[in-house]
């Protein structure tokens, strides 16, 4: 019923070996681990009680191994992982119960792990992801019940991947995406 937190481990490089773990009662948090470069080995986790947070891990390049997670009861935050180029995992997650915040991941180009998500109950926030070009792996997303905030993504040039998005219930903010040249994908 508690949190699963891996925090401020200055010599930790690889996180693996949690193959027997089935669920996390509260929050999963990986934060402020300066040399961690990979997060694998959580294949059997099927639910996370509240939040899923990965932030301030400057050498983390890939996240995978959460493909069994079908339910997260709260928010998802992936923030300030300066070397993260792909997020692989959460392929069985079809609903985000809170917000989805993907912010300040300087090398993030692909989000392979969100292709099953159909609805987000909170905000959809993508800001300051300098290498993100589109939303190609959100092709099943239909509903955002919170705000839709897309800002300061330098290479975002269109919204391909959001073709099935039918409803944004609150404010839509699209600003300072300097390469944006089309709303293809967001409007049909």
């Amino acid at each position: 019923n508690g949190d699963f937190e891996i925090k401020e481990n200055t010599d930790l490089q690889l996180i693996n070996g949690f193959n027997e773990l089935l669920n996390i009662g509260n929050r999963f948090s990986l934060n402020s681990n300066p040399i961690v470069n990979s997060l694998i080995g959580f294949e059997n986790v099927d639910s996370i009680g509240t939040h899923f947070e990965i932030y301030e891990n400057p050498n983390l390049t890939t996240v995978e191994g959460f493909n069994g997670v079908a339910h997260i009861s709260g928010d998802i935050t992936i923030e300030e992982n300066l070397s993260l180029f792909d997020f692989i995992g959460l392929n069985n997650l079809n609903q985000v119960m809170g917000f989805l915040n993907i912010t300040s991941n300087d090398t993030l180009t692909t989000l392979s792990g969100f292709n099953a998500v159909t609805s987000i109950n909170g905000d959809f926030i993508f800001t300051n992801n300098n290498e993100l070009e589109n939303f190609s792996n959100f092709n099943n997303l239909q509903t955002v019940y919170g705000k839709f905030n897309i800002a300061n993504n330098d290479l975002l040039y269109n919204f391909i991947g959001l073709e099935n998005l039918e409803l944004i219930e609150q404010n839509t903010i699209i600003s300072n995406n300097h390469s944006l040249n089309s709303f293809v994908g967001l409007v049909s």
Side-chain angles (χ1 to χ4, degrees), residues 59-73:
N59 287 308
L60 184 66
T61 58
T62 186
V63 175
E64 52 187 298
F66 287 92
N67 289 330
V69 174
H71 186 78
I72 297 174
S73 295

Side-chain angles (χ1 to χ4, degrees), residues 41 102 140 142:
I102 312 289
N140 288 310
Q142 298 172 0

Side-chain angles (χ1 to χ4, degrees), residues 4-6 12 14-24 28 30 38-46 65-66:
F4 189 106
E5 185 172 18
I6 301 170
L12 185 63
L14 175 65
I15 299 173
N16 64 1
F18 293 97
N19 298 350
E20 301 301 317
L21 188 62
L22 301 178
N23 65 53
I24 297 170
F28 175 85
L30 174 70
S38 183
L39 178 61
I40 58 174
F42 291 86
E43 291 85 6
N44 292 320
V45 173
D46 64 3
F66 287 92

